[in-house]
Amino acid sequence: MYMNKEELEKIKKKALEEHIPIIMDDTLSVIEKTLKGKKVYSFLEIGTAVGYSAMCFSELLSENGKIDTIERDVERVAEARKNIKKVGVEDKINVLEGDAVEILPTLNNKYDVVFIDAAKGKYPFFLKEALRMIKTDGIIFADNILYKGYVMSDYNKHKQRTAVRNLREYIKEISENPNLETEILEVGDGLAISKVK
Ligand SMILES: C[S@@+](CC[C@H](N)C(=O)[O-])C[C@H]1O[C@@H](n2cnc3c(N)ncnc32)[C@H](O)[C@@H]1O
């Protein structure tokens, strides 16, 4: 199906102008490189925002591949669905509306790729659910894992403390899990890549 790239660029520009946190170019490019040559039939994204990253990822899908993406903000869900139609990729992306903490346990699909990009305080829970649904040879990406450097520094303001604690727990779990081969890159706001052995 034809993808309207001009429309996608407009959506990206608007999101940046409105300070909607969308995937950084460098992070996207690392994900593209990591997935090059890999068959991706099923992709799960946690945190849709206005659909920008999901639309970029839709280009990486193998034939008949699909993306499920979860967003809890009602207005962003509406915007994402509108954007996805405008870009012409509605047959590839399914936006699930609601809190991922409630939606994930109801899913029983097997995914080639999971991309975690939502509430930082929930990363350990998202990991547990991702591990339940990831295929052998699958890859789990987690964005913003270094959270502006807070995760690696001793000093954290009260406001960031829960997020930092949970991001550190995520890193500990992926590093210690014998079934995962993990790298953490300083690209964007920190990207964890965990390949299932
Ligand atoms: C960083 S943005 C996602 C950006 C998007 N992946 C992109 O790159 O275009 C994070 C989004 O996750 C959503 N979110 C945060 N916690 C969530 C949760 N528990 N369940 C569902 N969505 C959540 C927020 O509303 C926000 O729109």
Side-chain angles (χ1 to χ4, degrees):
M1 193 188 204
Y2 171 72
M3 179 185 201
N4 189 337
K5 292 226 169 121
E6 229 170 84
E7 203 53 62
L8 183 64
E9 272 307 305
K10 279 192 209 158
I11 289 161
K12 177 186 183 184
K13 192 163 171 270
K14 181 167 180 265
L16 291 171
E17 277 165 13
E18 292 176 359
H19 304 289
I20 291 167
I22 58 168
I23 193 163
M24 290 188 188
D25 291 341
D26 291 357
T27 308
L28 182 60
S29 139
V30 169
I31 294 176
E32 282 167 354
K33 281 190 194 125
T34 310
L35 296 180
K36 204 163 183 197
K38 184 176 166 60
K39 296 268 178 223
V40 181
Y41 299 104
S42 50
F43 193 121
L44 173 66
E45 176 181 69
I46 308 171
T48 317
V50 292
Y52 176 71
S53 54
M55 292 190 278
C56 295
F57 297 145
S58 74
E59 289 247 277
L60 311 176
L61 293 171
S62 303
E63 215 185 327
N64 296 325
K66 295 265 184 295
I67 299 180
D68 287 331
T69 179
I70 310 174
E71 174 57 55
R72 68 176 169 194
D73 182 297
V74 182
E75 281 173 24
R76 286 190 178 171
V77 169
E79 180 89 18
R81 288 187 174 138
K82 204 175 76 193
N83 289 339
I84 290 163
K85 274 213 176 113
K86 270 195 206 157
V87 172
V89 286
E90 66 271 31
D91 58 336
K92 294 182 178 179
I93 304 174
N94 179 25
V95 183
L96 304 168
E97 180 177 339
D99 194 317
V101 173
E102 283 159 29
I103 291 182
L104 286 167
T106 70
L107 301 179
N108 275 308
N109 301 334
K110 286 286 173 197
Y111 293 99
D112 295 296
V113 179
V114 177
F115 177 63
I116 301 174
D117 191 19
K120 299 173 185 71
K122 295 288 172 352
Y123 271 36
F125 178 78
F126 296 155
L127 176 64
K128 192 172 108 227
E129 288 297 299
L131 286 170
R132 179 175 67 78
M133 292 189 276
I134 196 82
K135 290 185 197 168
T136 309
D137 286 336
I139 304 182
I140 302 170
F141 295 95
D143 201 3
N144 307 312
I145 200 73
L146 299 175
Y147 191 17
K148 299 175 187 158
Y150 300 138
V151 171
M152 295 301 173
S153 88
D154 290 338
Y155 174 75
N156 292 294
K157 289 195 196 117
H158 180 67
K159 208 174 127 242
Q160 299 137 2
R161 230 169 261 157
T162 310
V164 167
R165 184 170 19 88
N166 283 289
L167 291 172
R168 283 183 185 153
E169 189 184 325
Y170 183 98
I171 292 172
K172 186 170 185 286
E173 285 182 21
I174 52 174
S175 310
E176 291 176 358
N177 188 324
N179 296 320
L180 298 177
E181 201 182 289
T182 287
E183 315 177 69
I184 292 170
L185 305 181
E186 280 182 33
V187 66
D189 202 10
L191 178 71
I193 307 177
S194 304
K195 296 185 180 166
V196 182
K197 285 188 206 161

